[in-house]
Amino acid sequence: MPRYLIAIVAGVLLLTAVGLIIWAPNTPMWQESIALFTRLGAIAFLFWLAWYDLRRVPTWLMMVLPIAALVLARWPRLFLLMVPVLVVVGLLRGPLGPSKGPPVAAR
């Protein structure tokens, strides 16, 4: 996904949240919608900021982290077990590779 699309998605989500704050009625359902759009927009904005660093993360880690998050959401007590395991795995795998950096425009 190109980086500018992430910025567009973040902007649309945050503008939707602002629009709901201004024009939506003050009911619990609309307050939850405002919170949803604000949080998703903030997360998309953070992905946009960290895009080049995220490209350095190994594929196996990008697949393991969501699974670990789901396991921790279901069984929070496993957090005390998973943190040392992830630290050991990270130390054994070594540092992340060199940054690919921003794409260079072809001349």
Side-chain angles (χ1 to χ4, degrees):
M1 173 183 282
R3 188 172 184 227
Y4 70 88
L5 287 179
I6 298 172
I8 291 171
V9 168
V12 167
L13 288 169
L14 292 173
L15 286 174
T16 303
V18 169
L20 289 175
I21 289 170
I22 294 172
W23 291 296
N26 193 11
T27 62
M29 184 187 75
W30 288 105
Q31 289 175 353
E32 290 174 5
S33 298
I34 291 168
L36 172 77
F37 284 112
T38 303
R39 290 176 183 155
L40 289 177
I43 290 171
F45 178 71
L46 292 176
F47 270 105
W48 175 73
L49 285 177
W51 182 249
Y52 294 119
D53 290 329
L54 289 173
R55 290 176 51 188
R56 293 183 355 181
V57 177
T59 306
W60 68 270
L61 188 60
M62 291 296 271
M63 295 172 70
V64 168
L65 286 180
I67 295 169
L70 290 173
V71 168
L72 288 177
R74 175 65 178 101
W75 299 287
R77 289 188 177 184
L78 290 179
F79 181 74
L80 296 175
L81 175 68
M82 290 186 91
V83 169
V85 169
L86 290 176
V87 168
V88 168
V89 168
L91 291 174
L92 292 177
R93 298 284 298 188
L96 299 176
S99 174
K100 295 178 185 171
V104 179
R107 293 183 188 218

